[in-house]
Amino acid sequence: GQQVMQIPQYQHVQEGEDFTTYCNSSTTLSNIQWYKQRPGGHPVFLIQLVKSGEVKKQKRLTFQFGEAKKNSSLHITATQTTDVGTYFCAQGRGNEKLTFGTGTRLTIIP
Amino acid sequence: NAGVTQTPKFQVLKTGQSMTLQCAQDMNHEYMSWYRQDPGMGLRLIHYSVGAGITDQGEVPNGYNVSRSTTEDFPLRLLSAAPSQTSVYFCASSYRNYGYTFGSGTRLTVV
């Protein structure tokens, strides 16, 4: 089945710096979803991207879906301590069999 | 709405024991899934269901059974627990073509 590779595995940033995580697939994706998991918590759905080249924003978070629908990125502007956690991308045809990337763990240095 | 409710929150089993992890949702979601998450790792799909009476295998189904007799409930059965099944188990549900809502998880230790 399709697999998505997520990079980097870890990212440590100073508070106020920007952060980006990337998901890459060798095959075309029907859609991609992004989740955030706080330490000790459960994953929380952030957004779904469906269209080629789609860009969506949620406050300081910007999500992009590549033109070829083989990659996606999540960018956080001016990180805050509340952004700490692991960010996962996930993909599946429709919403069946949703599989997750390996995640990027973000830590913030105050 | 309670969302997705998982019970128990913690469980310790001896090798070879069987048990059922319960999952219930009150959002009338069609899709339900079970994931396991090992320390420092991502989520791996165990089994999923697209509606009552329909289940299918995910990435790591061996040693687990599921059934979906109602829209609300999706229990996960461990047939004969092994130490390799020590993990955090998450149940999740969704409407078609929308993000999943996750339960708070069951932390399982097999000794």
Side-chain angles (χ1 to χ4, degrees):
Chain A
Q2 293 178 327
Q3 291 189 351
V4 287
M5 302 303 295
Q6 198 169 345
I7 55 171
Q9 189 175 1
Y10 302 96
Q11 187 78 55
H12 313 283
V13 300
Q14 293 275 356
E15 188 175 6
E17 291 183 340
D18 293 356
F19 160 76
T20 305
T21 175
Y22 301 90
C23 272
N24 298 300
S25 171
S26 58
T27 57
T28 303
L29 303 171
S30 59
N31 59 50
I32 197 153
Q33 299 180 3
W34 285 92
Y35 292 77
K36 176 184 179 181
Q37 184 177 25
R38 294 181 184 274
H42 58 273
V44 174
F45 173 68
L46 295 176
I47 210 158
Q48 177 171 263
L49 305 172
V50 178
K51 300 177 182 178
S52 168
E54 189 169 14
V55 178
K56 289 188 176 180
K57 293 189 176 183
Q58 291 179 349
K59 297 182 180 179
R60 294 178 294 103
L61 277 61
T62 302
F63 304 85
Q64 295 191 29
F65 203 8
E67 293 289 343
K69 300 182 72 172
K70 290 186 176 181
N71 56 73
S72 181
S73 65
L74 158 59
H75 178 83
I76 302 177
T77 303
T79 54
Q80 301 175 359
T81 55
T82 54
D83 296 324
V84 165
T86 301
Y87 292 85
F88 293 98
C89 59
Q91 65 84 25
R93 187 175 61 246
N95 230 15
E96 296 181 33
K97 204 170 184 177
L98 192 73
T99 56
F100 282 71
T102 49
T104 296
R105 181 178 295 180
L106 173 63
T107 57
I108 307 289
I109 306 166
Chain B
N1 285 351
V4 178
T5 302
Q6 289 185 239
T7 56
K9 294 191 183 303
F10 301 93
Q11 182 72 49
V12 178
L13 288 178
K14 293 182 178 179
T15 298
Q17 286 185 318
S18 62
M19 80 160 294
T20 299
L21 306 185
Q22 302 291 343
C23 176
Q25 54 94 5
D26 61 356
M27 298 171 284
N28 202 32
H29 284 169
E30 304 155 280
Y31 291 3
M32 296 187 76
S33 297
W34 276 102
Y35 293 87
R36 62 176 288 175
Q37 185 173 37
D38 299 315
M41 296 185 66
L43 296 128
R44 291 185 290 171
L45 180 65
I46 305 171
H47 286 284
Y48 66 100
S49 168
V50 298
I54 306 170
T55 64
D56 207 344
Q57 296 181 349
E59 303 167 281
V60 288
N62 292 342
Y64 307 94
N65 275 354
V66 291
S67 60
R68 184 108 180 260
S69 56
T70 66
T71 299
E72 294 79 17
D73 300 300
F74 191 42
L76 177 72
R77 297 181 186 85
L78 279 70
L79 308 174
S80 177
S84 61
Q85 294 179 304
T86 294
S87 190
V88 179
Y89 291 84
F90 289 103
C91 178
S93 71
S94 78
Y95 292 117
R96 191 177 306 182
N97 291 324
Y98 198 67
Y100 275 78
T101 299
F102 279 75
S104 56
T106 295
R107 190 175 297 273
L108 175 69
T109 303
V110 182
V111 297

